[in-house]
Each structure stands twice: as structure tokens, then as C-alpha cells.
Amino acid sequence: MPSSRTSIEISVTLGKERGDVMLQRGMMIAMLVLLATPAAAEWRIPCLWSPFGGCSFTFVSPEYAARPVQPLNPQAALAAVNAFRAENGLKSLVLDARLSRAAAMQSEAQARRSWIGHYGSDGSTPKDRAARAGYHAKIASENVASGQKSFSDVLRFWKESSGHRSNLLRPNVTAAGVAMAKNKSGRAYWTLVLGAE
């Protein structure tokens, strides 16, 4: 009779082998879907782990990837966010220059590092960056994204992601700031900060 340690080792080994097979099958399915997907379409998969929620990866066509990044118009971006909030029975937000500076801090930091996340390179949080920009937030929520070619594309992505959508529809925020920065290769890093003082 095998010891319980041997049983555990066998079980763990079998589990790892099954996991490897599942990963290989998943990768094969992903490749087949990408090959069968029309060139203009995109394909999105959720993150396996995200401490903040709302995370996903989007694979896009080479044609989309080759498009230039559209400049950010903060007023138009706010109007689009407010239209989405109005569709969901929420009041409009005002554009706040301080929150836009906080958003710019994060977009620029992400572009410098070619990395996306909610913590700054110094460990700062959205609320920390809002405070540095002079906004004394009771609430500071942040949506970030990378690779989209326009704010309308970013907003569509955020609307379809549960965590980002929740931030967009927070009833207790009153202001927003938005920014975009590009890294050396031209990839866009978008940040929207929503807050209330």
C-alpha cells in the first residue's frame, strides 16, 4: 500500500500533467480561433488572476494593430463617459484638471515602463496620485488600458469588462480626469481617474 505522501506526489504529478495538457489544448484552441477570426475582429480572454477585477486581454487583427493612435480629446472623452452614465441613470461628471494630472502621471509612468497596472512605479495608488495633483479624494477609482487606438475603443473595452464598468458606473463619484501617453514604440497607455472630494 503506498504511503499518503506517495499518493499525494502521484496526485500532484497527475494534476500537473493534466494541467499541462489543458494548457496545450487551450493554446491550440486559441490559435485556431485566431486563425478563423475575420481580420477586423478582436478576440478577448479574461485574466486568470487579477486582484482588482476587470482584467482581460484582447487580441486584435494586424490591420487594427497597424492603425495610428488617435489623439485624446478630454472633453469628448468626458462626454462619452457621461453619455454611458446617463444611459444607466447616473448623473454626469465634471472634468477636473487635477484628476487629469493624476491620470497623466499614471499613463506616463506606464508608457515609460511599457507596463500596465494600478500601482505607480513608486508604489502609489490612484488616491495617492490624486492627492499629489492637489485633489483630496474621498474616493479615487482608476481604469487603465493599453493598446487601443482611440478613446472610443478604450471606453468600449471598459464597458465590456465588469471591474472597469463598475468604476464607470460608480454613483458616488463627481469628477473625472483622463490622459493618454505613448511609449517609445507608439503604444498608447490610457488612464481614467474618477473621484469625489
Side-chain angles (χ1 to χ4, degrees), residues 163-180:
H164 296 108
R165 182 183 178 90
S166 293
N167 278 345
L168 291 168
L169 298 177
R170 286 188 82 162
N172 49 357
V173 294
T174 57
V178 63
M180 182 269 290

Side-chain angles (χ1 to χ4, degrees), residues 37-74:
T37 301
E42 63 180 41
W43 186 59
R44 182 171 296 153
I45 59 170
C47 290
L48 297 177
W49 178 82
S50 173
F52 300 105
C55 178
S56 66
F57 295 97
T58 302
F59 297 96
V60 297
S61 69
E63 291 84 359
Y64 181 84
R67 289 184 196 165
V69 174
Q70 300 301 307
L72 173 64
N73 177 331

Side-chain angles (χ1 to χ4, degrees), residues 118-182:
H118 294 287
Y119 288 102
S121 55
D122 60 354
S124 63
T125 65
K127 196 170 183 180
D128 296 332
R129 290 185 292 277
R132 286 182 197 157
Y135 190 90
H136 304 289
K138 292 179 185 171
I139 301 165
S141 300
E142 179 179 78
N143 282 357
V144 295
S146 175
Q148 290 83 359
K149 302 300 183 172
S150 67
F151 186 80
S152 61
D153 290 348
V154 174
L155 185 59
R156 183 170 45 87
F157 168 76
W158 286 336
K159 287 177 183 179
E160 294 171 359
S161 166
S162 64
H164 296 108
R165 182 183 178 90
S166 293
N167 278 345
L168 291 168
L169 298 177
R170 286 188 82 162
N172 49 357
V173 294
T174 57
V178 63
M180 182 269 290
K182 296 182 209 173

